Amino acid sequence: MHSAQAHPHRFTREDRLRQKALIQRTIKQGRKKVFPELVMYTLPNTVSHPRLGLAVSRKVGNAVIRNRVKRRLREAFRLQQTRSAGQDVMVVARNGAKQLSMRVMGGYFRQLLGKA
């Protein structure tokens, strides 16, 4: 059994925005939404599923905190994937992101993707 079949909600390589050129294109050409703790960009893509890119700098905190922020952002995005079909989403975390709850992150994704 394929790992994606065993875990249908897994965040796979295909779900990630990994190539530098795609990340830069999303930031330059995408629609920007600024929140106090996050800056989010969205741009329609050519694949049929949404992709997420994350940028969490060391200004946010140590490795444990940065990884926690990334896990929460991935989960909030996963819960909103039906709204974001066919879009690339790039999230740049600011220092205040470490205090964000899952509810607030989900609300930010809803605001971003609800207008798309």
Side-chain angles (χ1 to χ4, degrees), residues 9 11 52 54 69-81 102 105-106 109:
H9 300 295
F11 196 74
L52 175 67
L54 298 173
V69 168
K70 289 187 273 189
R71 280 194 308 271
R72 288 180 176 174
L73 286 168
R74 282 193 295 266
E75 179 64 10
F77 176 74
R78 185 187 69 80
L79 294 172
Q80 297 297 321
Q81 275 187 325
M102 284 295 298
M105 284 184 187
F109 275 106

Side-chain angles (χ1 to χ4, degrees), residues 41-53:
Y41 303 87
T42 182
L43 185 69
N45 65 26
T46 57
V47 296
S48 61
H49 62 277
R51 294 183 295 195
L52 175 67

Side-chain angles (χ1 to χ4, degrees), residues 26-85:
T26 302
I27 289 172
K28 284 188 174 77
Q29 298 175 13
R31 196 181 67 219
K32 179 180 181 180
K33 182 80 171 159
V34 179
F35 299 101
E37 303 87 358
L38 302 171
V39 181
M40 304 171 101
Y41 303 87
T42 182
L43 185 69
N45 65 26
T46 57
V47 296
S48 61
H49 62 277
R51 294 183 295 195
L52 175 67
L54 298 173
V56 184
S57 77
R58 285 186 287 184
K59 292 178 184 178
V60 173
N62 64 23
V64 173
I65 292 171
R66 291 193 310 270
N67 287 332
R68 182 181 306 133
V69 168
K70 289 187 273 189
R71 280 194 308 271
R72 288 180 176 174
L73 286 168
R74 282 193 295 266
E75 179 64 10
F77 176 74
R78 185 187 69 80
L79 294 172
Q80 297 297 321
Q81 275 187 325
T82 55
R83 293 176 183 254
S84 61

